[in-house]
Amino acid sequence: ILALGIALIGYGQQELQMTQYVFNGLAWNPGYAGSTNYARLALSYRQQFSKTAGAPKMAQFSADIPMLKNNMGLGIQVGNSSMGVSSRTDVYVSYAYQVRFSKTLALGIGIKAGMSNYNTNYDGVLVWDAGDQMFENNRPNMIVPQVGAGLYLHGKQFYLGASVPTIWAYDLYKEDPAQSKPWMRKTYQVSGGYAFQLGALELKPALFGRYKEAEGFRADINCTVGYKNMIY
């Protein structure tokens, strides 16, 4: 009861939550754009606690393509996530310059820019206290422009990455733009993986870590087994 009485505004998860980072590199590092000599398309979907009303859902499409003799790359991301009565739609464009050290080793220096559209729908909320102004009107769309950057060092059998997906993000007040204020806290992300060739099989352990102030460091560790670059 005491904690509820002194509660202030709280911010929870701000970056998208995924599981298979290995197959969705552009989502966490813009330096990934154009890092191969072919175009890539990726579609991912995540749903947890599926039998719970308002459970988190996330769907995302990403694509990138190399340009100018594989020295540059362009990418695009379109995604939507929802949880409870809140939803978010993201659109980002990424650009990366690939610094070639050899035929198989390169460093991608990338930047991304775009915006997120946040919306809250109170129509499905059961309100016990009639006349509560908080729930009388749906919250209008809130558009938050964002800019991020990343580095992606990749070779024939390994990769190392570091990125800050949101370096700059502002909540734009329509009534008074001068009141715009920083809205998202920076998340520092690192990643790495190495592919071991075992005949027709490929064994690739990988690590994805993120650090945010007041949350500390969190790591996602996984291992992928592939067969002739066709099935993983």
Side-chain angles (χ1 to χ4, degrees):
I1 295 176
L2 178 62
L4 291 175
I6 62 175
L8 301 176
I9 295 177
Y11 295 95
Q13 175 183 313
Q14 292 185 323
E15 301 292 349
L16 291 179
Q17 178 71 27
M18 290 177 290
T19 303
Q20 294 298 339
Y21 299 95
V22 175
F23 296 101
N24 206 356
L26 192 64
W28 55 266
N29 195 333
Y32 188 80
S35 57
T36 60
N37 58 1
Y38 50 85
R40 289 174 294 195
L41 306 176
L43 180 64
S44 58
Y45 178 79
R46 175 189 175 101
Q47 180 178 3
Q48 57 192 89
F49 315 127
S50 58
K51 294 184 179 181
T52 304
K57 298 179 182 179
M58 186 277 292
Q60 186 179 81
F61 169 79
S62 64
D64 72 289
I65 185 172
M67 301 177 65
L68 299 180
K69 298 182 180 180
N70 299 336
N71 290 323
M72 295 183 183
L74 290 178
I76 185 172
Q77 297 168 251
V78 180
N80 179 268
S81 60
S82 63
M83 182 170 60
V85 297
S86 302
S87 63
R88 166 183 172 180
T89 301
D90 304 297
V91 179
Y92 300 108
V93 176
S94 300
Y95 165 83
Y97 183 80
Q98 300 291 334
V99 181
R100 299 286 173 180
F101 301 109
S102 67
K103 291 183 178 180
T104 59
L105 181 63
L107 174 65
I109 304 173
I111 186 172
K112 76 171 186 178
M115 61 182 60
S116 297
N117 182 26
Y118 294 83
N119 182 268
T120 303
N121 185 1
Y122 293 129
D123 291 340
V125 177
L126 176 61
V127 180
W128 291 349
D129 299 324
D132 191 331
Q133 296 181 359
M134 177 63 70
F135 301 100
E136 285 185 349
N137 298 310
N138 288 328
R139 183 178 183 179
N141 291 349
M142 181 177 66
I143 297 178
V144 180
Q146 301 182 38
V147 175
L151 301 173
Y152 185 72
L153 179 67
H154 54 98
K156 186 176 181 180
Q157 292 180 279
F158 80 98
Y159 69 88
L160 295 172
S163 64
V164 183
T166 305
I167 295 177
W168 180 89
Y170 273 70
D171 180 2
L172 302 178
Y173 287 84
K174 295 182 179 180
E175 295 81 3
D176 186 3
Q179 294 183 9
S180 296
K181 59 182 180 180
W183 194 78
M184 293 185 71
R185 295 187 177 183
K186 295 182 180 65
T187 301
Y188 303 93
Q189 301 180 160
V190 294
S191 62
Y194 190 90
F196 297 91
Q197 295 295 334
L198 304 173
L201 297 179
E202 179 186 78
L203 185 67
K204 181 186 288 185
L207 167 70
F208 180 89
R210 59 171 59 192
Y211 172 83
K212 181 184 288 188
E213 186 180 356
E215 288 186 8
F217 182 81
R218 300 183 181 185
D220 184 284
I221 302 173
N222 59 63
C223 184
T224 303
V225 179
Y227 176 72
K228 293 186 175 181
N229 292 326
M230 294 188 302
I231 302 175
Y232 289 88

